Amino acid sequence: GENVEQHPSTLSVQEGDSAVIKCTYSDSASNYFPWYKQELGKRPQLIIDIRSNVGEKKDQRIAVTLNKTAKHFSLHITETQPEDSAVYFCAASPMGTALIFGKGTTLSVSS
Amino acid sequence: NAGVMQNPRHLVRRRGQEARLRCSPMKGHSHVYWYRQLPEEGLKFMVYLQKENIIDESGMPKERFSAEFPKEGPSILRIQQVVRGDSAAYFCASSPGTDSYNEQFFGPGTRLTVL
């Protein structure tokens, strides 16, 4: 089955810096790669996703890249703000089935 | 435009009791997924259901846990004879299931505490 590795587990940046979180997956059948943001005690919220027929997608300060050959995908947050502080999870899904999540990255943005 | 609804939001049970968690998917969504999140850990897939069908229960413990999604009403995750290790946040997510991509939206979760 699918296995998703996520790095780093914690990330501390200064406000205004960029943050990058990386994930690798094992199942070449995976075709959908979402990223979720979870604040303490809250539900995971979908912030951006990418499908296997696309190499890069951007939404304001957030971008995601996908390298199918190497089986890895990354989340890039530019101009970080204190409200970006949260736990971020990557996930992979083979063909419309369950999401397999990475273990999460705790992002701390200090002002 | 109601999102995914879960109830109760918090549930306290003593060891040996039963826990019933409910999930109502977003309007127009026919696919429901249950995930468990242990304290300070990631989300682990448990079960994937469509109306009246269990599609994938590979993440569900073999004993004490069951799930259903009846023709009418919410999806229910049932945990019999709860133990302290069942204490966790249980999230459900729904998707429209109209294509092979799988955009899922999560409910607020049920936080189960077993005393």
Side-chain angles (χ1 to χ4, degrees):
Chain A
E2 177 62 276
N3 182 52
V4 177
E5 301 282 340
Q6 182 172 348
H7 299 281
S9 56
T10 60
L11 181 59
S12 296
V13 300
Q14 289 285 111
E15 183 176 2
D17 287 349
S18 295
V20 179
I21 302 170
K22 299 182 179 181
C23 290
T24 59
Y25 62 99
S26 61
D27 190 345
S28 55
S30 288
N31 67 339
Y32 176 65
F33 307 91
W35 287 85
Y36 287 85
K37 175 183 180 182
Q38 187 178 32
E39 296 174 344
L40 191 62
K42 301 285 183 65
R43 77 184 76 191
Q45 289 202 304
L46 180 66
I47 57 171
I48 195 167
D49 57 16
I50 191 165
R51 301 182 176 189
S52 59
N53 56 352
V54 175
E56 184 174 354
K57 183 176 178 181
K58 190 173 181 181
D59 182 4
Q60 299 184 346
R61 296 186 298 108
I62 295 173
V64 59
T65 58
L66 171 65
N67 183 327
K68 285 194 298 181
T69 303
K71 295 200 187 81
H72 65 70
F73 56 113
S74 301
L75 177 72
H76 303 252
I77 306 173
T78 58
E79 300 172 25
T80 54
Q81 301 167 3
E83 51 265 39
D84 293 329
S85 296
V87 181
Y88 291 81
F89 292 98
C90 64
S93 175
M95 298 300 291
T97 61
L99 294 175
I100 306 302
F101 284 87
K103 292 190 175 179
T105 296
T106 301
L107 174 63
S108 300
V109 181
S110 52
S111 55
Chain B
N1 184 18
V4 180
M5 309 288 284
Q6 286 187 251
N7 68 79
R9 298 288 304 277
H10 300 273
L11 183 61
V12 179
R13 286 287 178 265
R14 296 191 179 278
R15 282 178 296 170
Q17 291 184 319
E18 178 179 289
R20 281 188 178 233
L21 289 61
R22 296 175 192 79
C23 170
S24 296
M26 285 178 69
K27 187 176 181 181
H29 286 192
S30 59
H31 294 219
V32 166
Y33 307 79
W34 286 93
Y35 295 87
R36 177 164 63 176
Q37 186 172 37
L38 293 168
E40 304 202 5
E41 290 195 14
L43 294 131
K44 300 286 189 188
F45 165 70
M46 299 181 74
V47 61
Y48 164 29
L49 310 105
Q50 296 177 22
K51 287 280 187 183
E52 300 183 283
N53 277 309
I54 297 175
I55 306 302
D56 180 1
E57 55 182 349
S58 59
M60 194 99 96
K62 294 286 187 289
E63 298 178 351
R64 303 188 297 107
F65 286 73
S66 62
E68 63 176 0
F69 190 13
K71 187 176 180 181
E72 301 290 337
S75 174
I76 295 174
L77 179 68
R78 182 183 178 204
I79 311 171
Q80 295 179 289
Q81 299 175 342
V82 296
V83 300
R84 288 219 175 105
D86 297 333
S87 296
Y90 291 82
F91 290 95
C92 81
S94 72
S95 73
T98 52
D99 62 25
S100 62
Y101 302 104
N102 199 19
E103 193 174 42
Q104 295 184 21
F105 298 92
F106 280 77
T110 294
R111 281 149 185 83
L112 172 65
T113 301
V114 180
L115 302 177

